[in-house]
């Protein structure tokens, strides 16, 4: 399984993905699910993959490979909306190619992407591209997208994230959201790839891989867990007589 | 949708269910999903339903109706294991009767139950009965069962609940778990039916319906939400330079 989150803020973007993939419980591997296309001053495009690894790798590989060859590609497209369309079309192409063979073995041929970034001349944007190749754009009302194992980590995003949340505060919340997910589901696991983008900078501000032992993340998880327990114990027990 | 939780503790049982049912977004109703069979001094049996409402109501109605008629029924069975089997068999019976007709309209004919209680001469027990009619028993290692929309509310159960947690503390944690779920999913909603059972008492200790405005639950939710935000803001932001 997978967990991916993208957040769009007044001040920029935060994107993060885990690295665990599994085919059954005994075939567990680490694969990077974040692809970054950066040309400073022109564009930063980040893709987070979820779903069938052969499909998502195929989509990213074709996008990279065709960057020089095709009329419209990820480097010359003038809007992120059009890139979302390009990703969706490439996903449909790979699904059409491989899907029937996967179906013969009852393998789910679904995959999805979170796409965020900014192109010179346009605002920064965030899209959620579905398994069917269609997509939605995140808005100020709902300024985040999730993909994969989304439910465990959603409550804290709902409580904290608004469009005006600061970049580092949002990164912190995204990591809390990963903590909740990793505690409740072993199919989501480190390292976590985290990327922060500052609006209108047209370059990656921060890209970091948080492995099994990252001192900030480890301390934060510990402090958060202990704090939750303390907070919980401070809540009054129900006053109903038993 | 639905959210149901059962917890087994050294000191007893806590069981809770929401009341929202929906068939699409415009047909939302309130139905009690907790059924209680109590004969003080002899047995307390609690069933929490999830899934297709016609199926679960059918199962509970047949169990009630047959209580006087059948050789083995919910009032004379000597073990909760056997009652779990009886519930599973009744579920299979109703599915066999209605399932093919539901299938004609692509309606999901699945339903499940959480079954908890104690019968004189036996320890208190907790079972999770699946849509297929088979079931598992909760143990000291994993002392809770959930059903329905389970993921949002799982992290806090994982953090707090152990077999030695006190009854009222567990009830508080179950309510926090409902709070997280109701915030992130509108298909789970009040009133919440909550029942506490003290081990070896063979009578219901507390049964309470928490409606839209319950002062304890409202205050607890508010205090919890404010506490989470405070706790979150006290965590250090990432120290990585941007």
């Amino acid at each position: 399984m997978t967990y991916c989150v993208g957040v769009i803020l007044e001040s920029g973007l935060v994107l993060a993905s885990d690295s665990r993939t599994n085919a059954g419980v005994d075939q567990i591997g680490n694969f990077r699910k974040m692809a970054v296309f950066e040309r400073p001053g022109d564009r930063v495009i980040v893709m987070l993959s979820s779903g069938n690894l052969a499909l998502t790798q195929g989509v990213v590989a074709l996008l990279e490979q065709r960057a020089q060859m095709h009329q419209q590609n990820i480097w010359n497209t003038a809007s992120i909306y059009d890139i979302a369309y390009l990703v969706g079309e490439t996903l449909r192409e790979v699904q059409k190619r491989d899907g029937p063979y996967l179906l013969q073995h009852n393998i789910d041929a679904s995959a999805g992407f979170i796409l965020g970034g900014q192109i010179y001349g346009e605002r920064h944007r965030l899209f959620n591209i579905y398994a069917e190749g269609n997509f939605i754009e995140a808005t100020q009302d709902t300024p985040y997208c999730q993909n994969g194992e989304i439910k465990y980590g959603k409550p804290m995003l709902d409580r904290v994230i608004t469009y005006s949340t600061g970049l580092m505060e949002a990164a912190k919340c995204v990591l809390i959201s990963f903590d909740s997910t990793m505690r409740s589901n072993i199919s989501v696991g480190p390292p976590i790839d985290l990327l922060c983008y500052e609006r209108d900078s047209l370059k990656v501000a921060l890209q970091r891989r948080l492995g099994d032992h990252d001192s900030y993340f480890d301390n934060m998880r510990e402090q958060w867990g202990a704090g939750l327990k303390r907070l919980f114990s401070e809540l009054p027990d129900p006053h109903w007589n038993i």
Side-chain angles (χ1 to χ4, degrees), chain A:
Chain A
M1 199 59 182
T2 289
Y3 183 44
C4 295
V5 183
V7 182
I8 186 160
L9 307 155
E10 205 173 344
S11 53
L13 294 157
V14 177
L15 296 127
S17 54
D18 85 315
S19 306
R20 190 160 293 173
T21 64
N22 65 300
V25 286
D26 49 1
Q27 243 194 311
I28 292 179
N30 283 340
F31 286 90
R32 189 182 176 81
K33 297 169 194 170
M34 177 184 284
V36 182
F37 300 84
E38 180 188 22
R39 190 154 59 196
D42 173 54
R43 68 189 57 206
V44 171
I45 306 291
V46 185
M47 285 172 65
L48 308 178
S49 312
S50 67
N52 185 290
L53 183 66
L55 284 182
T56 59
Q57 281 191 346
V59 171
V60 174
L62 286 177
L63 288 170
E64 286 171 343
Q65 193 168 305
R66 291 171 179 175
Q68 309 309 325
M69 297 154 56
H70 276 57
Q71 200 154 19
Q72 198 198 35
N73 67 49
I74 206 159
W75 294 110
N76 65 10
T77 301
S79 102
I80 298 190
Y81 180 91
D82 289 341
I83 292 183
Y85 176 76
L86 188 65
V87 173
E89 282 296 294
T90 311
L91 174 59
R92 287 167 178 168
E93 179 189 339
V94 181
Q95 276 172 328
K96 196 173 163 191
R97 186 188 75 187
D98 291 351
Y101 299 92
L102 295 174
L103 196 63
Q104 285 173 19
H105 296 272
N106 287 319
I107 297 170
D108 187 22
S110 74
F113 293 93
I114 290 173
L115 174 76
Q118 188 170 15
I119 296 177
Y120 179 76
E122 211 191 33
R123 61 190 160 84
H124 61 306
R125 302 174 80 171
L126 180 69
F127 289 87
N128 195 353
I129 302 167
Y130 297 117
E132 292 76 17
N134 61 336
F135 48 86
I136 57 165
E137 183 168 7
T139 64
Q140 297 194 17
D141 291 330
T142 305
Y144 69 85
C145 304
Q146 298 170 287
N147 226 329
E149 192 58 82
I150 67 174
K151 294 187 181 183
Y152 303 112
K154 188 169 182 287
M156 269 312 286
L157 297 176
D158 285 335
R159 284 182 197 272
V160 170
I161 300 286
T162 68
Y163 192 66
S164 60
T165 304
L167 208 57
M168 279 299 111
E169 198 184 352
K172 188 171 76 172
C173 185
V174 163
L175 293 178
I176 294 280
S177 176
F178 270 86
D179 175 49
S180 301
T181 309
M182 293 193 303
R183 269 175 194 278
S184 286
N185 191 309
I186 54 156
S187 76
V188 175
I192 298 169
D193 287 298
L194 178 76
L195 185 145
C196 297
Y197 171 77
E198 281 182 332
R199 170 187 172 171
D200 299 335
S201 68
L202 296 170
K203 64 179 173 57
V204 172
L206 173 78
Q207 192 175 354
R208 204 176 165 90
R209 173 157 263 217
L210 307 175
D212 278 322
H213 300 290
D214 178 89
S215 67
Y216 170 74
F217 190 42
D218 288 354
N219 290 340
M220 192 202 67
R221 293 183 82 177
E222 204 179 306
Q223 200 175 328
W224 177 247
L228 281 180
K229 285 188 180 169
R230 196 177 59 244
L231 184 62
F232 177 77
S233 71
E234 285 166 6
L235 290 181
D237 277 347
H239 51 66
W240 317 307
N241 291 328
I242 199 163

